[in-house]
C-alpha cells in the first residue's frame, strides 16, 4: 500500500519558515518536530525560500498560471490515458492473435 504525502499549503510553508526565524533557540530538528514535518522537508522549504527571494513555489492541483495552462494539463492527462489504454489493447490483440 502506498502512503500519500501530505500536501502543505504555501501559507503553512511560509509560517513554518517564520516560526523557525522567531525561535532561534530551537534547532531545525526541534522546529520540524513541533510542526509535525520532516527535517529534510523544512530544510527544502528554507532553501526554496532563499533561492526564490522570499517566496516558495507551489506545485500541484489548482496552481496553474492561467485557464489555458490548466486546460493544456487536462488535455495532456487525457492524451496520456488514451495512449495507455491503446497500448493495453495492442498487447491484448498481440497475445490473443498468437493463439
Amino acid at each position: 500500500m502506498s502512503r500519500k504525502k501530505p500536501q502543505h499549503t504555501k501559507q503553512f510553508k511560509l509560517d513554518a519558515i517564520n516560526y523557525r526565524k522567531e525561535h532561534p533557540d530551537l534547532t531545525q530538528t526541534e522546529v520540524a518536530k513541533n510542526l509535525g514535518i520532516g527535517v529534510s522537508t523544512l530544510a527544502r522549504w528554507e532553501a526554496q525560500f532563499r533561492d526564490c527571494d522570499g517566496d516558495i513555489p507551489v506545485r500541484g492541483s489548482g496552481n496553474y498560471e492561467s485557464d489555458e495552462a490548466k486546460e493544456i494539463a487536462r488535455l495532456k492527462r487525457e492524451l496520456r490515458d488514451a495512449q495507455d489504454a491503446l497500448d493495453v489493447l495492442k498487447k491484448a490483440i498481440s497475445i490473443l492473435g498468437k493463439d
Side-chain angles (χ1 to χ4, degrees), residues 12-70:
F12 180 83
K13 295 174 183 182
L14 292 171
D15 289 344
I17 292 168
N18 287 330
Y19 179 78
R20 173 122 159 88
K21 287 180 182 178
E22 292 170 359
H23 297 88
D25 54 316
L26 296 177
T27 66
Q28 192 176 43
T29 304
E30 291 170 328
V31 170
K33 184 178 179 184
N34 290 349
L35 296 173
I37 59 176
V39 177
S40 62
T41 301
L42 180 59
R44 184 175 64 248
W45 293 348
E46 289 176 334
Q48 289 173 338
F49 186 79
R50 278 191 311 273
D51 296 343
C52 295
D53 299 322
D55 195 21
I56 294 180
V58 181
R59 293 182 301 166
S61 177
N63 295 315
Y64 297 99
E65 293 177 11
S66 65
D67 288 338
E68 289 83 15
K70 186 175 183 177

Side-chain angles (χ1 to χ4, degrees), residues 4-8:
K4 186 173 182 175
K5 293 185 344 183
Q7 294 289 324
H8 298 287

Side-chain angles (χ1 to χ4, degrees), residues 1-5:
M1 181 190 311
S2 65
R3 213 169 67 176
K4 186 173 182 175
K5 293 185 344 183

